[in-house]
Amino acid sequence: MSKRFCVTGTCIPAKNYMVDISDRVDIIIHDYIDKGQYFTINRARQYGKTTTLYMLEQRLKSDYLVISLSFEAVDEYFASLGTLAEGLMMDIAECLKNQNTSETIIEEWNEPLSDKFPLRSLGMKITRLCKASNKKVVLMIDEVDKSSDNQIFLSFLGLLREKYLKCQQGKDITFQSVILAGVYDVKSLKLKIHPQEETKYNSPWNIAVDFSMDMSFNINDIKSMLSDYENEHRTGMDIELIASIIYDYTSGYPYLVSRICQLTDERIASHEQDADEKKAWTKNGLLQAIKLLLKEPNTLFDDMTKKLLDHPALKDMLQKILFDGIDFPFKRENPIIDLGVTFGFLKDKNGIVAVANRIFETQLYDTFLSEMAVNDRLYVDAAANRNQFIVSDMLQMDLVMKKFYEYFEEIYTENDHKFIEENGRKLFLLFLKPIINGTGNYYVEAQTRNNRRTDIIVDYKGKRFIIELKIWHGNEYNLRGQKQLFDYLDYYKEDKGYLLSFNFNKNKKTGVNELEYDGRKIMEVVV
């Protein structure tokens, strides 16, 4: 039986293909822990935080006494200072036992806390533990932001801060290093805003240093993982090409990288037949795996949906970026942008706000379109007549464009210009999605997307279709658009492309035209 790919954030197996992050772990130990730093690893969901903490614990145990905790399911701890102190004491006692700490230290640790001052009593226990241990003590807490908007949690951070500052002055002995891991940075509790609750802007965690390490996977990381797999399976894959495709779709988001590889290995490849396995590790095989990823329920996409419901302003910004092509300057001082970056949805691209990766873009497009699709006739008709667009198992894009023109003229020709300008791209994607759904993939080329132009790339069973959507602003402008599309076809080495123009001129001439230039063809649809 073959090994499997480790899906970052969901498993830490002893024997799995996974990106080697040992160099990053070494840097964290050298630059942060050995230097006695307190810091937070705050990254988006399923970004490898838990895996990193696990590997840190394994590497540190020989030189440090490691206390590794999680606030994943300890809501009851934060009922009062007493319950928090008792809960932490219990969990730390378990860690001490698991690391074969001396009975004397464990017995002293288990002595009862003061009923009147439980947190102060816990602080004194920490001092005695750090004095008695023959190793420096490191505290790691995962999922720390589960209760980061709780006053009891702030009191706990205050205790850590007080002991740290006294230690710096030679007045106390405490943890060598403290690592808190979560989505939110607990130095900036203003990010975690709940309706009808007081917003907290300050945190006693201001003793922490910034943790700026890039935890995403680069192409070389992906190539290394694929090389390990290839050395055993001999699929004949083009490692450079496969790594490049995976990175193009994920931008190195750890969970997405791992999950695409896992789906390719376990769902696309058949381990009983070498021919099938070799076929899986191709561009077409990866696109099938990506299609499966976008269709499956998973906690990452579920969390994305929840976050959009909780933060309508962020949802509105994402729709403006994706459908309207609006460029927002990237400034993390903007709370909405900061929130999007914190969740892993947004990134800085040359000073402009961009969606973090192509997978997220497609998932967001699908989510927003599904909200419109329920009562949209264009979507319903396209879904009902899907079979006419597939001939000999291949998408007939010419027919898709012609039928869109017919449906649009019938349904939307009387709508005002503002409605069409704001929703034209949505309407075309609503028509396209049910036709390719289940077999093809699509994405919007981010480099060409703006409020006047959008390029859509459709991959259908290895065949690529390039469609440019434009807002008509005069014949000269349209001719420039045609030239751009011909250049684009040349770049992608395609012989034919499609141009959909939304024309608002009073004397406009709508219809379907065929254009040819330098051996390449364009089907132009004007509505």
mmCIF file of all heavy atoms in Angstrom, residues 15 30 48 64 85 99 148 209 302 355 369 373 386 414 508:
data_model
loop_
_atom_site.group_PDB
_atom_site.id
_atom_site.type_symbol
_atom_site.label_atom_id
_atom_site.label_comp_id
_atom_site.label_asym_id
_atom_site.label_seq_id
_atom_site.Cartn_x
_atom_site.Cartn_y
_atom_site.Cartn_z
ATOM 1 N N LYS A 15 4.444 8.747 8.853
ATOM 2 C CA LYS A 15 4.928 8.261 7.565
ATOM 3 C C LYS A 15 4.011 8.763 6.461
ATOM 4 O O LYS A 15 3.057 8.116 6.075
ATOM 5 C CB LYS A 15 4.970 6.734 7.575
ATOM 6 C CG LYS A 15 5.800 6.135 6.440
ATOM 7 C CD LYS A 15 5.842 4.629 6.596
ATOM 8 C CE LYS A 15 6.719 4.001 5.530
ATOM 9 N NZ LYS A 15 6.698 2.534 5.602
ATOM 10 N N HIS A 30 16.153 28.830 16.402
ATOM 11 C CA HIS A 30 17.360 29.662 16.518
ATOM 12 C C HIS A 30 17.016 31.138 16.719
ATOM 13 O O HIS A 30 17.608 31.820 17.570
ATOM 14 C CB HIS A 30 18.227 29.495 15.260
ATOM 15 C CG HIS A 30 19.478 30.325 15.274
ATOM 16 N ND1 HIS A 30 19.527 31.606 14.747
ATOM 17 C CD2 HIS A 30 20.721 30.070 15.767
ATOM 18 C CE1 HIS A 30 20.738 32.098 14.911
ATOM 19 N NE2 HIS A 30 21.486 31.187 15.518
ATOM 20 N N GLY A 48 -1.032 25.205 8.564
ATOM 21 C CA GLY A 48 0.129 24.468 9.058
ATOM 22 C C GLY A 48 0.587 24.861 10.449
ATOM 23 O O GLY A 48 1.686 24.491 10.866
ATOM 24 N N TYR A 64 14.764 21.189 25.846
ATOM 25 C CA TYR A 64 13.838 21.988 26.637
ATOM 26 C C TYR A 64 12.758 21.089 27.249
ATOM 27 O O TYR A 64 12.473 20.006 26.726
ATOM 28 C CB TYR A 64 13.154 23.041 25.767
ATOM 29 C CG TYR A 64 14.053 24.143 25.260
ATOM 30 C CD1 TYR A 64 14.657 24.051 24.010
ATOM 31 C CD2 TYR A 64 14.279 25.289 26.020
ATOM 32 C CE1 TYR A 64 15.470 25.068 23.522
ATOM 33 C CE2 TYR A 64 15.094 26.312 25.539
ATOM 34 C CZ TYR A 64 15.688 26.198 24.297
ATOM 35 O OH TYR A 64 16.493 27.203 23.834
ATOM 36 N N ALA A 85 -7.198 28.756 36.080
ATOM 37 C CA ALA A 85 -5.979 28.320 36.778
ATOM 38 C C ALA A 85 -6.009 26.816 37.028
ATOM 39 O O ALA A 85 -4.999 26.110 36.829
ATOM 40 C CB ALA A 85 -5.835 29.083 38.093
ATOM 41 N N GLN A 99 6.429 13.709 29.876
ATOM 42 C CA GLN A 99 7.846 13.943 29.584
ATOM 43 C C GLN A 99 8.743 13.402 30.691
ATOM 44 O O GLN A 99 9.916 13.780 30.805
ATOM 45 C CB GLN A 99 8.102 15.435 29.367
ATOM 46 C CG GLN A 99 7.384 15.964 28.134
ATOM 47 C CD GLN A 99 7.873 17.337 27.721
ATOM 48 O OE1 GLN A 99 9.056 17.547 27.503
ATOM 49 N NE2 GLN A 99 6.947 18.283 27.618
ATOM 50 N N SER A 148 -10.033 34.545 22.814
ATOM 51 C CA SER A 148 -9.198 35.737 22.915
ATOM 52 C C SER A 148 -9.979 37.026 23.140
ATOM 53 O O SER A 148 -9.391 38.069 23.368
ATOM 54 C CB SER A 148 -8.326 35.881 21.654
ATOM 55 O OG SER A 148 -9.121 36.076 20.514
ATOM 56 N N VAL A 209 7.255 39.602 20.063
ATOM 57 C CA VAL A 209 7.914 40.083 18.852
ATOM 58 C C VAL A 209 7.090 39.637 17.645
ATOM 59 O O VAL A 209 6.317 38.689 17.716
ATOM 60 C CB VAL A 209 9.355 39.540 18.742
ATOM 61 C CG1 VAL A 209 10.195 40.009 19.914
ATOM 62 C CG2 VAL A 209 9.371 38.021 18.641
ATOM 63 N N ASP A 302 -16.090 25.704 4.372
ATOM 64 C CA ASP A 302 -17.189 25.976 5.308
ATOM 65 C C ASP A 302 -16.882 27.216 6.145
ATOM 66 O O ASP A 302 -17.758 28.059 6.390
ATOM 67 C CB ASP A 302 -17.409 24.779 6.234
ATOM 68 C CG ASP A 302 -18.030 23.593 5.506
ATOM 69 O OD1 ASP A 302 -18.516 23.774 4.368
ATOM 70 O OD2 ASP A 302 -18.007 22.478 6.060
ATOM 71 N N VAL A 355 -7.302 38.595 -4.354
ATOM 72 C CA VAL A 355 -7.701 37.347 -3.705
ATOM 73 C C VAL A 355 -6.460 36.445 -3.610
ATOM 74 O O VAL A 355 -5.615 36.421 -4.514
ATOM 75 C CB VAL A 355 -8.827 36.651 -4.485
ATOM 76 C CG1 VAL A 355 -9.213 35.323 -3.827
ATOM 77 C CG2 VAL A 355 -10.042 37.572 -4.559
ATOM 78 N N LEU A 369 -22.163 33.200 -7.221
ATOM 79 C CA LEU A 369 -23.063 32.860 -8.325
ATOM 80 C C LEU A 369 -24.212 31.974 -7.856
ATOM 81 O O LEU A 369 -25.335 32.097 -8.343
ATOM 82 C CB LEU A 369 -22.284 32.168 -9.443
ATOM 83 C CG LEU A 369 -21.316 33.056 -10.230
ATOM 84 C CD1 LEU A 369 -20.484 32.216 -11.176
ATOM 85 C CD2 LEU A 369 -22.062 34.140 -10.997
ATOM 86 N N ALA A 373 -28.179 32.201 -8.565
ATOM 87 C CA ALA A 373 -28.682 31.206 -9.515
ATOM 88 C C ALA A 373 -30.095 30.720 -9.208
ATOM 89 O O ALA A 373 -30.818 30.306 -10.116
ATOM 90 C CB ALA A 373 -27.729 30.009 -9.561
ATOM 91 N N ARG A 386 -28.229 21.781 -20.969
ATOM 92 C CA ARG A 386 -26.780 21.573 -20.964
ATOM 93 C C ARG A 386 -26.327 20.610 -22.045
ATOM 94 O O ARG A 386 -25.289 20.829 -22.698
ATOM 95 C CB ARG A 386 -26.336 21.058 -19.593
ATOM 96 C CG ARG A 386 -24.853 20.743 -19.498
ATOM 97 C CD ARG A 386 -24.476 20.170 -18.144
ATOM 98 N NE ARG A 386 -23.040 19.948 -18.054
ATOM 99 C CZ ARG A 386 -22.424 18.864 -18.478
ATOM 100 N NH1 ARG A 386 -23.125 17.873 -19.029
ATOM 101 N NH2 ARG A 386 -21.108 18.735 -18.366
ATOM 102 N N GLU A 414 -33.968 44.804 -22.265
ATOM 103 C CA GLU A 414 -34.698 45.992 -21.827
ATOM 104 C C GLU A 414 -34.190 46.559 -20.500
ATOM 105 O O GLU A 414 -34.667 47.580 -20.031
ATOM 106 C CB GLU A 414 -36.189 45.665 -21.685
ATOM 107 C CG GLU A 414 -36.859 45.231 -22.986
ATOM 108 C CD GLU A 414 -36.733 46.289 -24.081
ATOM 109 O OE1 GLU A 414 -36.820 47.492 -23.753
ATOM 110 O OE2 GLU A 414 -36.539 45.910 -25.248
ATOM 111 N N LYS A 508 -26.433 50.960 -31.306
ATOM 112 C CA LYS A 508 -25.527 49.809 -31.332
ATOM 113 C C LYS A 508 -26.025 48.747 -32.312
ATOM 114 O O LYS A 508 -27.220 48.625 -32.583
ATOM 115 C CB LYS A 508 -25.412 49.194 -29.938
ATOM 116 C CG LYS A 508 -26.683 48.539 -29.417
ATOM 117 C CD LYS A 508 -26.451 47.955 -28.036
ATOM 118 C CE LYS A 508 -27.730 47.326 -27.468
ATOM 119 N NZ LYS A 508 -27.502 46.737 -26.136
#
